Amino acid sequence: METPLKLAIEKEFINTSERVKSVDLHPTQPWILASLYSGTVCIWNYHSQALEKSFKVTESPVRTAKFIARKDWFVCASDDKFIRIYNYNTLEKVKEFEAHGDFIRCVAVHPTLPYVLSSSDDKLIKLWDWEKSWECTQIFEGHSHYVMQVAFNPKDLNSFASASLDCTIKIWNLDSSAAKFSWDAHSKGINCVDYFKNSDKAFLITGSDDYTAKVWNYETKTCVQTLEGHTHNVTAVCIHPELPIIITVSEDQTVRLWNASTYRLENTLNFGLERVWGVGYKKGSNQ
């Protein structure tokens, strides 16, 4: 009989704030980057459970923040329409600039090139090059509602996917402002998207306000599996980099673990988190 998948709480962090809007884990340091509704970005050490550093970024909610570890930076974006970059060692603000015409929902860091993608309620996605003084080198247009998340394709680093409240998923190439292809993926708005591999095949997973997550063959634009069980909006999805686990989180306060091979629901966890809007992992650590 197949052993059920399990997830144990190793460390619990308590930080009084308006709300935590996003989390990211450093690839080598024992750090969690948390962006807060209060306009602050914090770095926590998950070994010592100590607050390492805190940055008062703005008076507006900071909806997204990501480490750029190869530069000792983090990039964050907020409701005041600005992107800001800080050196987390020196605490220096490296750059700030107005990036969009509305709230910024997501930033994604390219794995190898000096690029950051941003997506916004202005329905646009923008590509920024930090080796060109953070010049905007491409604007991607086509969504008709808020663009909630973008994710680079790990098998083709010239392409990425976007999820929008217009109920569509779009696939883009970095060198073209128009989507490569698009499809209607859910009956309600889509909050999140991510890539993952299963048996050497590449898939997308999406989470939606229709209370479901879906696994897609993005080359054929066909739904491989619908993950049903949440009783409210699915707000974040995550694929464990080494174990066959899909993690979905929802405004129903639960975290659900699914077998990435069979798509069977393995466990439902309720940590009393109220609405959950972020999930992350650290490669090589089972965290």
Side-chain angles (χ1 to χ4, degrees):
M1 180 179 293
E2 192 173 345
T3 303
L5 301 173
K6 294 182 179 180
L7 182 67
I9 301 177
E10 291 194 355
K11 302 285 184 181
E12 181 176 342
F13 300 92
I14 299 174
N15 181 27
T16 302
S17 73
E18 291 294 319
R19 285 196 293 275
V20 178
K21 300 304 295 180
S22 75
V23 292
D24 191 34
L25 278 81
H26 195 281
T28 57
Q29 299 293 332
W31 292 345
I32 297 172
L33 183 71
S35 68
L36 308 182
Y37 191 87
S38 60
T40 300
V41 175
C42 298
I43 297 177
W44 288 85
N45 185 310
Y46 56 75
H47 285 164
S48 66
Q49 302 194 47
L51 177 64
E52 294 265 346
K53 296 165 186 180
S54 179
F55 302 78
K56 182 60 178 178
V57 172
T58 176
E59 297 301 322
S60 300
V62 183
R63 294 187 182 271
T64 178
K66 294 288 175 63
F67 282 115
I68 307 178
R70 58 191 184 272
K71 299 292 289 185
D72 295 335
W73 294 345
F74 70 81
V75 56
C76 61
S78 51
D79 284 5
D80 64 6
K81 312 169 192 176
F82 274 71
I83 288 176
R84 295 175 175 88
I85 303 91
Y86 288 82
N87 184 308
Y88 51 71
N89 288 329
T90 66
L91 309 184
E92 172 195 8
K93 184 190 293 182
V94 176
K95 185 82 171 180
E96 70 173 351
F97 54 92
E98 188 167 353
H100 284 271
D102 209 333
F103 296 172
I104 303 171
R105 295 284 178 168
C106 177
V107 290
V109 180
H110 195 281
T112 58
L113 297 174
Y115 297 159
V116 170
L117 282 171
S118 61
S119 67
S120 168
D121 287 4
D122 65 9
K123 309 172 190 175
L124 299 177
I125 303 163
K126 295 185 179 183
L127 181 68
W128 309 91
D129 186 335
W130 69 68
E131 289 190 350
K132 296 181 178 179
S133 299
W134 291 92
E135 177 185 344
C136 179
T137 58
Q138 189 70 268
I139 299 176
F140 306 91
E141 300 183 73
H143 280 296
S144 59
H145 210 313
Y146 304 163
V147 186
M148 301 297 285
Q149 191 169 20
V150 288
F152 283 106
N153 184 344
K155 292 193 71 175
D156 177 8
L157 295 178
N158 189 51
S159 70
F160 67 93
S162 60
S164 170
L165 294 188
D166 65 11
C167 306
T168 69
I169 294 294
K170 297 184 187 294
I171 306 296
W172 311 78
N173 285 334
L174 293 178
D175 55 5
S176 175
S177 62
K180 185 178 177 182
F181 53 86
S182 172
W183 69 94
D184 294 325
H186 287 266
S187 61
K188 291 187 178 180
I190 306 170
N191 295 309
C192 46
V193 62
D194 199 5
Y195 286 90
F196 77 102
K197 291 192 298 182
N198 189 1
S199 301
D200 294 326
K201 294 183 179 179
F203 298 94
L204 277 175
I205 183 166
T206 56
S208 168
D209 287 349
D210 65 11
Y211 303 178
T212 72
K214 292 185 178 183
V215 178
W216 300 90
N217 181 324
Y218 61 86
E219 294 178 347
T220 62
K221 300 181 284 294
T222 56
C223 181
V224 175
Q225 187 72 35
T226 300
L227 308 180
E228 297 181 290
H230 282 294
T231 59
H232 213 304
N233 304 339
V234 178
T235 52
V237 292
C238 177
I239 314 300
H240 195 285
E242 295 166 359
L243 301 176
I245 300 173
I246 297 170
I247 303 172
T248 59
V249 301
S250 168
E251 289 188 345
D252 66 11
Q253 304 185 28
T254 68
V255 178
R256 293 181 183 244
L257 307 183
W258 312 78
N259 189 305
S261 299
T262 65
Y263 303 116
R264 181 178 66 195
L265 177 63
E266 298 285 354
N267 207 345
T268 300
L269 309 169
N270 191 330
F271 301 134
L273 297 174
E274 300 185 8
R275 294 187 301 167
V276 185
W277 270 91
V279 64
Y281 62 80
K282 182 167 184 175
K283 191 170 182 179
S285 65
N286 288 339
Q287 293 167 334

